[in-house]
Amino acid sequence: MAGMGGRMSVVIKSKINKLLDKAEDPSETLEYSYQKQMELLQNVKKGVADVVTSKKRLQMQQQKLEQQVVKLDTQARQALAQNREDLARTALERKQFAQTELQSLDQQVAELENQQAQLIDKEQKLRSKLEQFRTKKEVIKAQYSAAEAQVKISEAATGVGEEMADVGLAMQRAQDKTESMRARAGAMEELEAAGAFDDNLQLGSGGDDIDRQLHELTSQSVVDDDLAKLKAELGQGSGPEPGQLEAGAPESAPGEERPT
Amino acid sequence: MIVRIATEGQFHLPDEDAARLNELDNQTVEAVEAGDEDRFAQLFEEMLDLVRRDGRPVGDDELEESDVILPPPDTTFAEAAHEFTGEGLIPD
């Protein structure tokens, strides 16, 4: 104990302790712990399933965005081939935004994978602690007087209880996180469906005006670069004839099939 | 003594680390009270490092109550501000 009185640890400890419900009778403690434990294990399983579902959803979004990037790139080429720099610029802006979203999705998926592993690990730990508890209880009962056994079993039950409370806390945090990721993923799908994909401002995580302008500036320069690159690839200097593209840009061959 | 990092696990920590841990804990709360997010992050990380570095993980077959429980490693500044300052759950 050594006189620990730091405020954070005291608050957290009292919080965890509140989650522990210490029964006085050891046999009750065991029954209670066991039931709680089984419920909790079910919850952890459900929690892991939730995390996996969220992860799958994010991965689907990743795929969609990847397709989007390819499509927008093609569109930009086509637009430029027709001397529609304005359209090409819009396509590249969207592409740039989709790429930014992709990066953030990568991070989120990694975070979910981490949580999934952590929960599975904790579930196993809890299982083995409970097994220990059941074994230990029998040993204690055989070795000690009833009164002493009661104290010792209660102590062991507290150890298991704390582990359970901690798994509960880990679950709760994982669920809170997946929920907010889900909400964000849902919002993004709605925006996509509403065709508002080009409005990157609505999707940011609440950046203010300055953030927004900075973001615009950065993406603008990326778009300018992209545009310049495309132009170079397509062999456009200034005011080229659309006709000369076919020879100069083998990559745009599939584009010939586009309507009109 | 036994220290738990919430959501992570329990560690046996040498008793001589107690004073340092306690000091870091109080400094962390002070940083939160001062609204200093960088300092909070730095001190909290230092606390976790101390436990992970000097501590020996408690085995699955040991059923012990922790003497000290630290907040989850992913505790945000906002969460800390909410939990550990102002009126606080437990006054000094």
Side-chain angles (χ1 to χ4, degrees), chain A residues 107-120:
Chain A
Q107 273 175 19
Q108 290 180 34
V109 167
E111 203 176 312
L112 285 180
E113 261 160 12
N114 201 358
Q115 274 177 0
Q116 191 184 339
Q118 205 184 18
L119 281 180
I120 289 170

Side-chain angles (χ1 to χ4, degrees), chain A residues 38-215:
Chain A
M38 286 302 136
E39 275 170 31
L40 195 61
L41 285 178
Q42 288 309 312
N43 277 339
V44 175
K45 280 213 178 82
K46 195 179 154 289
V48 172
D50 277 353
V51 171
V52 171
T53 309
S54 292
K55 199 175 81 183
K56 279 197 184 134
R57 188 162 169 195
L58 290 181
Q59 282 168 333
M60 269 165 61
Q61 263 183 351
Q62 269 179 323
Q63 283 175 3
K64 267 204 257 172
L65 278 174
E66 274 158 12
Q67 288 165 3
Q68 194 106 16
V69 166
V70 174
K71 188 178 131 202
L72 287 167
D73 192 67
T74 311
Q75 284 177 337
R77 284 166 195 276
Q78 291 172 347
L80 212 50
Q82 296 182 338
N83 273 335
R84 290 293 309 274
E85 190 173 324
D86 55 332
L87 283 183
R89 179 174 288 278
T90 305
L92 289 177
E93 276 166 4
R94 293 185 187 191
K95 178 186 156 190
Q96 161 65 11
F97 173 62
Q99 278 172 331
T100 313
E101 275 301 312
L102 261 179
Q103 277 173 9
S104 122
L105 279 179
D106 283 345
Q107 273 175 19
Q108 290 180 34
V109 167
E111 203 176 312
L112 285 180
E113 261 160 12
N114 201 358
Q115 274 177 0
Q116 191 184 339
Q118 205 184 18
L119 281 180
I120 289 170
D121 186 59
K122 289 206 77 101
E123 185 198 338
Q124 276 162 3
K125 195 171 193 107
L126 187 56
R127 257 182 213 286
S128 93
K129 289 236 174 193
L130 186 85
E131 229 21 76
Q132 283 295 326
F133 179 66
R134 291 165 70 78
T135 315
K136 206 166 189 161
K137 191 201 63 150
E138 296 312 315
V139 175
I140 290 171
K141 276 207 289 202
Q143 284 180 349
Y144 293 89
S145 72
E148 278 174 316
Q150 182 160 331
V151 172
K152 293 215 167 283
I153 290 173
S154 278
E155 279 168 10
T158 304
V160 179
E162 188 186 299
E163 196 67 38
M164 290 203 301
D166 197 46
V167 175
L169 187 65
M171 281 271 311
Q172 203 189 333
R173 290 181 76 78
Q175 273 167 347
D176 287 352
K177 273 191 200 156
T178 39
E179 210 138 283
S180 73
M181 281 184 198
R182 268 186 197 179
R184 191 166 188 277
M188 197 166 139
E189 276 166 14
E190 268 173 40
L191 276 178
E192 266 177 273
F197 204 74
D198 50 328
D199 189 358
N200 37 10
L201 313 175
Q202 291 183 47
L203 286 167
S205 44
D208 60 15
D209 232 36
I210 293 173
D211 274 347
R212 209 158 84 181
Q213 285 173 22
L214 280 175
H215 180 73

Side-chain angles (χ1 to χ4, degrees), chain B residues 27-89:
Chain B
Q27 283 175 351
T28 307
V29 175
E30 276 164 28
V32 176
E33 278 169 345
D36 191 340
E37 184 164 356
D38 288 344
R39 186 154 170 74
F40 159 78
Q42 182 204 327
L43 287 164
F44 186 41
E45 199 52 44
E46 207 175 314
M47 262 177 115
L48 298 172
D49 278 352
L50 176 72
V51 176
R52 289 172 184 148
R53 193 183 55 233
D54 286 5
R56 178 171 54 81
V58 168
D60 286 356
D61 58 346
E62 297 174 69
L63 306 172
E64 302 277 0
E65 184 180 1
S66 304
D67 300 308
V68 174
I69 301 179
L70 301 184
D74 60 353
T75 300
T76 62
F77 182 70
E79 282 175 319
H82 180 70
E83 297 271 13
F84 310 121
T85 65
E87 315 248 306
L89 295 177

